[in-house]
Amino acid sequence: MIKVNVAEIKKQLTGEKAFRMEVDPDDLELSEADLPVVGKIHLEGTIANVVDVLLVQAEEKARVRRTCARCLKEFEAGSEAKAMDKFYPVGSQSVESDAYVYDGDFVDLTELLRESLLLAEPLRVLCKEDCKGICPVCGADRNVHPCDCDTRTIDPRLSAFKQFIKY
């Protein structure tokens, strides 16, 4: 859980507080299945008081273990996320039900930071831009051993025309 004390900036009409910390994935309630983070997560940001509404801006950096979408090898790469949202005092009028709220002098940033890090993760990653992947015929890693397999495929609906095509 990541809580920041905002008692000082709440006293001012337009106060601001910077924060910088390194946290474990457990502090953001991230499991290995959610996001396989290697080491610590670096957080840096500000919390600004804008007449009872707290504006949080943060940047997160972490090393993540990923699997290449082409060759299926595991590798580590950097992940960066930016989070920005408002926190309203508990009991505020006309606030959406899914808005972030705070109670007292502490703001819990866990959910905001967790969500932004998960949403910044790409759906498909490559170990390198020119990854050749694995051969669909023999299963060889084309980055290590090139193969001469015939990978041309014909749509099964058009297989009757195969006799007319000369290779």
Side-chain angles (χ1 to χ4, degrees):
M1 201 177 273
I2 300 172
K3 290 190 175 187
V4 178
N5 188 341
V6 292
E8 287 298 316
I9 62 171
K10 282 176 42 180
K11 292 177 185 175
Q12 304 166 11
L13 188 58
T14 57
E16 183 173 291
K17 179 178 184 171
F19 62 90
R20 176 181 285 171
M21 58 185 91
E22 289 185 353
V23 298
D24 291 318
D26 294 339
D27 295 333
L28 288 180
E29 299 170 4
L30 286 170
S31 69
E32 187 75 17
D34 293 333
L35 190 65
V37 175
V38 178
K40 302 243 183 216
I41 301 167
H42 305 278
L43 305 174
E44 189 173 333
T46 60
I47 300 177
N49 182 18
V50 186
V51 191
D52 280 344
V53 175
L54 299 176
L55 178 63
V56 177
Q57 294 179 325
E59 291 183 16
E60 303 168 81
K61 294 180 182 179
R63 297 285 301 164
V64 179
R65 198 171 42 258
R66 296 177 172 152
T67 303
C68 180
R70 289 185 187 159
C71 67
L72 303 178
K73 285 186 180 175
E74 279 198 5
F75 67 100
E76 285 183 18
S79 182
E80 295 184 10
K82 292 187 179 192
M84 184 171 146
D85 218 325
K86 298 174 187 168
F87 282 75
Y88 298 92
V90 171
S92 296
Q93 299 296 326
S94 59
V95 175
E96 296 178 15
S97 62
D98 62 342
Y100 294 108
V101 295
Y102 70 95
D103 190 18
D105 291 338
F106 290 91
V107 175
D108 185 2
L109 302 177
T110 307
E111 190 60 32
L112 172 67
L113 297 174
R114 180 180 190 280
E115 277 183 18
S116 65
L117 196 58
L118 289 173
L119 290 173
E121 192 63 15
L123 296 175
R124 187 171 186 261
V125 292
L126 300 177
C127 60
K128 55 186 179 180
E129 285 293 319
D130 60 342
C131 178
K132 297 174 183 169
I134 57 175
C135 174
V137 177
C138 69
D141 184 352
R142 292 179 179 167
N143 296 311
V144 179
H145 303 289
C147 66
D148 296 326
C149 297
D150 183 14
T151 58
R152 295 179 292 188
T153 59
I154 296 176
D155 188 331
R157 297 171 291 183
L158 302 175
S159 61
F161 295 113
K162 186 177 180 179
Q163 63 186 342
F164 300 116
I165 299 173
K166 301 230 188 233
Y167 290 101

